[in-house]
Each structure stands twice: as C-alpha cells, then as structure tokens.
Amino acid sequence: MDRTTNADIDSLIRRVQEAKARRDERDPAYAELVRRFQDMAFGCAFAILGDVHHAEDAAQEAFMDAWTNIEDLRSDAAFPGWFRRVVLTRCHRFLRRKGVHTVPMDQAADVAGDEPDALDAAQARESGLLMRSALRSPSEDDRILLVLFHLDEYSYRQIGTFLELPPSSVDNRLRAARRKLKERLSSMTAHDLRSSRPSRDSRFVDEAMGRPPGMAADTWAILQAADEGDDETVRAMIADEPDLVTANHAYWQPLHFAARSGHAEVVRILLEAGSDPLSHVWWHGYRNPLEAARDRGHEDAVQLLEAAIRERHQAAPTRGALICEAVRSGDPRRVADLLDEDPSLVNVAQIVSDQIGSRQPLHVAVEMDRFDLVDFLLERGADLEGTRGDGFKPIHLALWENQWRGLRDNRTMLGYLLGKGAKYAVGVMAARGDLDAVRRAIERDPSLVD
C-alpha cells in the first residue's frame, strides 16, 4: 500500500463497484488497487506460507477473489481489513490444497549438485529456511506484522489499517515480537523480503489483471464473457464444450457472474444449457446466483432464476429467501419488520443448493456470528435444534462450516448456544476437546463409540 490517502482508495473502490461501469473503466481502477496493495498482500501471504513463490501465487488468487466479491464490501474505508481476510482465507485454503514443504536445515547442502547454479540454489533455500525459522515462533498476527514491517517502510498507521489495529498496538506488538528474533535473522529477513516484493517491477500487477495462475484459458474466457454480457461468445463456447457451464473460479460459475452483472440474456442461455440456479459459493456464505442478482436489483435476472428454481426444485424461493437474506444483510430492523408481518418466517427454510438443501434464519445468524440476531430469533421462536438440509444444526455451524470444509471453531458462539439450551451431543463434545464429557457420555451409552 503506497503513501496515498484513504480518499484516493475510496474513490478507486467506488469505481470498481460501480455496477454500470464498463469493464474498460473498472479494470484500470482495480489495477491501481492491485498496485497499491500488492506488497501488503504478498507480505501477509508470506507470513503464513513462508515461501516467496507460494506467497505470490496466493496473493494473485486473493486479488481475483477480491475482484469477484468486492460488491459485498459495505464500506470503502473497510477495504484494507476486508482484503486482509480475503488473503488469509486464500492462504489457509492453499495450505490445505497443496501444503508447503520445507527441507531440514541439515539437508540444505545436499541440494547442491553438478549444475552451475546448484550452490546458489542451496544458499537461497537456506535463506528461505532461516526466514521461516525466524517467523515460526510468533502468533500469526505477529508474523504478519513483522513481515510488513520488514517488507517496506510502512507507517504504523498503514500497518494498523491493514491489521485493524490502532497504531499504538502496532508499536507495542512490534516491539515485543522483534525481541523474540535474533538480530542476524531480523536483518537477513528484511533484506531478502525487500528484494522479493512484487512492487520491484510491473509483473505482479500484469499477472493479477490477466488470467489467474493455473486457470484454463477457456474457463477464464467464459467467465469474462459472462461477466461482460457477451452472449454470442457464451453461446458459442457452450455449444463447443457443454461442460463449461460449470467452469468456475473459487466456486463462482459463469451463471454467478452473469446474474451479478444483470445480463439476463446470458443468464437465460446458461440456464437452458443446464446451469444450476442454486449453485453456491462455499466460502462466501453459500451465495447463489439468485442472491447475487437480487442484491444488485437485476429484476430480469431474478425472474429467470426464480422460474428455474420453481421448475427444477419444485419450490418457490421467495419466503425463505426474504428472511434469510435479511439476516445475512445484518439488518435487525429489516428482520424484525418481516417477522412482525409474518411470525412463521422465523423457521421457514430457504433452499440453498442440491448439496446443502435448505437452511433456516437461525443457521444464517450463526454462520454470520451475529449474537444479537441469534438472540432475537430465539426470542421469536426459532428452533435451536432445527436441521439444515445437510443435517447441520446451529450448534454444528459454530464449529464447522459444512461437511466438506474443516473447523471454523467459534468457541464463543458454541458456548452461547449451549447456554441457550442447545443439545450437547458427543460429536460437539469431541470437537470442543471436552474429554471428561465424552467419557461420561460413552459410559452411559457405549454405542456412541461407533
């Protein structure tokens, strides 16, 4: 993040978010955001992954994720902190997907061979190992703080904005974290990081604005065509390769892009070709094309999607979607108004997707970590043991995102729901690490072991 004012950044974000702006207007604005935040993204990713090349890949993918979801940013001023969370999400998914492999220090010399650059490679690997060793001990937040401090001459205010901390906390935590490092490693880390930062040339920005690393050319082409409303290209590509209707980036399929941008004709083409109107985005609150279109007021696309849902899923999405989307928006007044008009909405289900099935308003409130809405919905009669389409109850969502993606582990929400009377099942006991409770449960019912 270079030395620019918040007003400059706010202006860029508004240009990127402008629904009616052409891509040739939005792209330059986003390219400038990439340029300003590239080192921050790289530094954050390096602090988690400990490898320069992995960090660049994760940062590139995070910028694509941010481009895809930037309309969900509710406040321009919140962009730095919001984007940090996007980077962290991408890094943690990167670790689960690929892993980051290191070579033990005592084996670093074995890398050298007969090649002319083998010694350089061994020395570079050792340098990387030293950096990872230096950054291994502090907490994740402190590692990010340390890397950003060494990476560039960022002010405490800039680092604090990215980490969502006041400058005084940045100062105090940085002093404490630096005391944990040996001076030799601290100096070496600063030198190596600065020589690796993306802003050293234009390559990172160029790649971030092009096709993401590892994405097939035809996938990138159809996603762009859907986002731009190029119905002729979409129709031709699907005729040539029907499976492209499910091509995706971070689970965003062509239908998501077309619905979000309000291109009704492309939505119609994709639905006729077999796109699922309830295809969802796992890491983004199970967002589906209908929600994307409704959020931006694209009524023609909404009507097409609702008709497809009625036809394919034998259900009208309106009632469940209204209350669940009100909860997801985080607007207590809107939720209250809907329940005042129709109290039965408190337990009405919204169809989400074939895999998830349906969810109730309380599920959404727990997913969003909105304690106020959880409390309000329970007061209005929400079912604390209500089961989502995939079998998950509200208490499960305090621990897991879903059956396919690991722990979320919000212990505060878990305790809150237990205090409200949620059933303390043995699976929840085990996930919580409550061994005494697990033993007592198994003693009462040995079949729980299976």
Side-chain angles (χ1 to χ4, degrees):
M1 187 167 60
D2 67 6
R3 283 61 177 165
T4 51
T5 67
N6 290 336
D8 293 334
I9 295 172
D10 293 350
S11 175
L12 289 171
I13 292 169
R14 285 193 294 272
R15 285 164 58 193
V16 173
Q17 288 182 315
E18 176 54 53
K20 296 180 181 179
R22 300 193 312 271
R23 193 172 190 112
D24 60 359
E25 296 173 338
R26 296 171 63 198
D27 279 2
Y30 195 68
E32 183 61 19
L33 278 177
V34 174
R35 187 185 69 79
R36 298 186 188 192
F37 283 88
Q38 59 184 331
D39 286 350
M40 281 276 191
F42 166 78
C44 182
F46 179 81
I48 305 303
L49 303 176
D51 180 276
V52 169
H53 301 296
H54 290 324
E56 279 204 3
D57 288 347
Q60 292 273 7
E61 293 179 7
F63 276 111
M64 182 60 185
D65 292 340
W67 168 269
T68 303
N69 297 288
I70 200 167
E71 80 279 0
D72 296 319
L73 183 65
R74 302 304 181 189
S75 167
D76 299 341
F79 177 81
W82 175 82
F83 180 56
R84 185 191 83 257
R85 292 188 290 275
V86 173
V87 175
L88 290 176
T89 298
R90 175 55 65 179
C91 287
H92 293 148
R93 292 172 65 195
F94 191 94
L95 285 171
R96 289 196 297 269
R97 185 176 74 235
K98 294 185 177 180
V100 176
H101 304 288
T102 62
V103 176
M105 185 70 73
D106 58 4
Q107 297 178 19
D110 296 339
V111 176
D114 297 330
E115 296 83 354
D117 60 345
L119 181 58
D120 290 340
Q123 290 173 338
R125 185 181 296 275
E126 181 176 352
S127 176
L129 287 167
L130 284 170
M131 282 193 286
R132 285 191 286 275
S133 176
L135 296 169
R136 187 172 294 145
S137 299
S139 67
E140 181 175 284
D141 286 345
D142 284 346
R143 292 202 308 274
I144 297 172
L145 192 154
L146 281 166
V147 170
L148 294 181
F149 176 79
H150 286 304
L151 186 66
D152 204 345
E153 295 178 356
Y154 291 120
S155 68
Y156 288 171
R157 180 187 60 79
Q158 289 173 312
I159 294 176
T161 299
F162 190 69
L163 296 179
E164 298 177 292
L165 293 171
S168 58
S169 295
V170 172
D171 184 18
N172 293 334
R173 291 174 63 170
L174 182 59
R175 290 175 185 271
R178 291 182 72 191
R179 283 197 294 268
K180 299 176 183 178
L181 297 179
K182 296 179 181 179
E183 187 61 33
R184 179 176 66 87
L185 293 181
S186 179
S187 299
M188 175 278 303
T189 300
H191 177 271
D192 285 358
L193 280 174
R194 287 172 183 165
S195 65
S196 301
R197 58 189 178 189
S199 61
R200 68 189 185 273
D201 56 39
S202 63
R203 179 182 57 83
F204 187 95
V205 175
D206 293 340
E207 291 181 358
M209 296 307 296
R211 174 159 46 100
M215 180 181 286
D218 54 358
T219 294
W220 181 238
I222 196 168
L223 294 179
Q224 280 192 305
D227 190 39
E228 296 170 1
D230 186 348
D231 54 285
E232 292 184 3
T233 296
V234 171
R235 187 182 290 107
M237 293 189 72
I238 290 175
D240 186 56
E241 182 54 67
D243 288 345
L244 285 175
V245 294
T246 57
N248 76 89
H249 173 73
Y251 297 101
W252 277 74
Q253 297 180 7
L255 188 59
H256 288 94
F257 286 96
R260 182 191 67 168
S261 298
H263 301 307
E265 180 60 18
V266 176
V267 168
R268 185 186 63 77
I269 293 168
L270 292 168
L271 289 171
E272 290 178 353
S275 289
D276 183 1
L278 291 176
S279 57
H280 54 282
V281 182
W282 289 117
W283 70 279
H284 194 57
Y286 311 114
R287 186 179 181 84
N288 60 50
L290 177 60
E291 291 175 336
R294 184 177 283 128
D295 282 352
R296 304 196 103 183
H298 300 310
E299 288 304 319
D300 290 346
V302 167
Q303 292 176 16
L304 287 168
L305 291 161
E306 287 186 338
I309 292 170
R310 284 192 293 271
E311 179 182 348
R312 300 183 194 185
H313 299 275
Q314 290 78 50
T318 305
R319 294 181 72 240
L322 278 175
I323 185 66
C324 285
E325 289 176 17
V327 174
R328 190 172 69 83
S329 72
D331 184 348
R333 185 67 264 165
R334 183 181 171 198
V335 175
D337 288 345
L338 287 170
L339 291 178
D340 287 343
E341 293 175 9
D342 184 357
S344 70
L345 286 176
V346 72
N347 287 313
V348 167
Q350 174 193 20
I351 297 174
V352 181
S353 69
D354 291 333
Q355 291 91 337
I356 296 297
S358 60
R359 62 180 177 183
Q360 296 172 2
L362 186 60
H363 296 122
V364 182
V366 174
E367 291 167 4
M368 300 289 292
D369 296 328
R370 288 297 300 263
F371 292 86
D372 57 334
L373 290 175
V374 169
D375 195 52
F376 179 75
L377 291 169
L378 289 173
E379 289 179 357
R380 290 298 189 99
D383 184 0
L384 191 55
E385 300 298 324
T387 303
R388 206 171 63 177
D390 59 357
F392 270 39
K393 297 180 178 180
I395 196 168
H396 297 140
L397 295 173
L399 289 169
W400 298 279
E401 292 186 54
N402 51 59
Q403 296 179 17
W404 297 270
R405 296 185 59 194
L407 286 174
R408 185 167 88 93
D409 201 13
N410 186 335
R411 299 302 177 94
T412 305
M413 178 63 77
L414 175 66
Y416 186 77
L417 294 174
L418 289 172
K420 290 291 184 178
K423 182 179 178 182
Y424 197 26
V426 69
V428 176
M429 298 174 191
R432 196 183 187 192
D434 191 345
L435 298 181
D436 290 338
V438 171
R439 291 191 185 98
R440 289 194 297 270
I442 292 174
E443 288 173 0
R444 291 193 300 269
D445 184 359
S447 68
L448 292 175
V449 174
D450 301 322

